[in-house]
Amino acid sequence: SDLGKIAFPEILREAITRALEKPNGIVLTTGPTGSGKTELMKEFAKLVFFTTSAVHPVNGGTMKTGGFALGTEFGTPKGVDTQSKSSGRFMDYLDDPGRGKFGGLIFIDEFEKAHPDYLLRMMQLLDQGKDQGADGLTRRMNGHLVVFASNKIDNIVYPPEAAAWSLEEIIEHNRKMTSEIIQQLFLTKFTEENSGLGAEVFARVHLWSLANQ
């Protein structure tokens, strides 16, 4: 598919292409609310996977607690009393040939709000390329791209006067913000807040980028 048809910055396009050449990849993007992160990923899914159904959206705010609470995504272990008979949203997604069975995009918005249990399980799944659901069945990941999205460091990346910037000024500013600079800003921010996130998660990210509207 031609990623050039989407208004990706060149560095982002190249990084995503490299990530797709691996069995699975991870990209982190940050930008203000309304900067187009979600819509960009939908367009990406249409070009690469030919359908927006290939996108599995997750809001990190719904994954704030760990343990059995992760059953929404991964299924509830046997012996735990629950009315839900689902094997889990994510497991259902990986089972569905029209959605994620043969590749897809897992879009985790406000990922910093998610419990470390959830993020680490996703990291382990990417490392191993497979995961066993609560129903005992093993699902495999191959050709999947995980996108962490956040507006966590907007107040650091953008000065107060940025609210009055033109689109051209924002793009020029973003061009100067290298992947290495954004990574350091995230690491500093999360370290200051004593977040459960850290090197174990961030070390797996292939690219750190800013979204342009």
Side-chain angles (χ1 to χ4, degrees), residues 152 183-199 202:
K152 183 72 172 179
Q183 179 184 29
Q184 189 55 52
L185 289 173
F186 260 96
L187 290 174
T188 300
K189 183 69 172 178
F190 285 118
T191 299
E192 289 175 350
E193 296 182 356
N194 297 315
S195 171
L197 300 170
F202 289 152

Side-chain angles (χ1 to χ4, degrees), residues 23-129:
N24 299 293
I26 305 175
V27 169
L28 186 148
T29 185
T30 185
T33 300
S35 61
K37 298 185 293 293
T38 301
E39 291 306 312
L40 190 62
M41 290 305 112
K42 288 180 180 178
E43 291 302 312
F44 171 83
K46 284 196 288 187
L47 270 179
V48 177
F49 302 109
F50 308 109
T51 175
T52 56
S53 295
V55 178
H56 178 69
V58 179
N59 187 305
T62 66
M63 295 284 113
K64 285 185 177 180
T65 56
F68 292 143
L70 300 186
T72 302
E73 285 291 296
F74 302 108
T76 306
K78 293 180 179 179
V80 176
D81 186 22
T82 176
Q83 294 182 352
S84 173
K85 302 299 181 183
S86 171
S87 55
R89 289 181 65 248
F90 185 59
M91 296 302 173
D92 290 343
Y93 165 77
L94 292 179
D95 283 340
D96 191 338
R99 297 175 63 211
K101 187 176 181 66
F102 303 112
L105 190 153
I106 298 94
F107 184 74
I108 307 174
D109 199 14
E110 296 185 303
F111 80 96
E112 73 280 353
K113 294 182 179 181
H115 193 280
D117 284 357
Y118 169 73
L119 295 173
L120 291 176
R121 179 156 180 178
M122 289 299 298
M123 297 303 98
Q124 292 166 3
L125 197 160
L126 287 167
D127 287 346
Q128 299 170 10

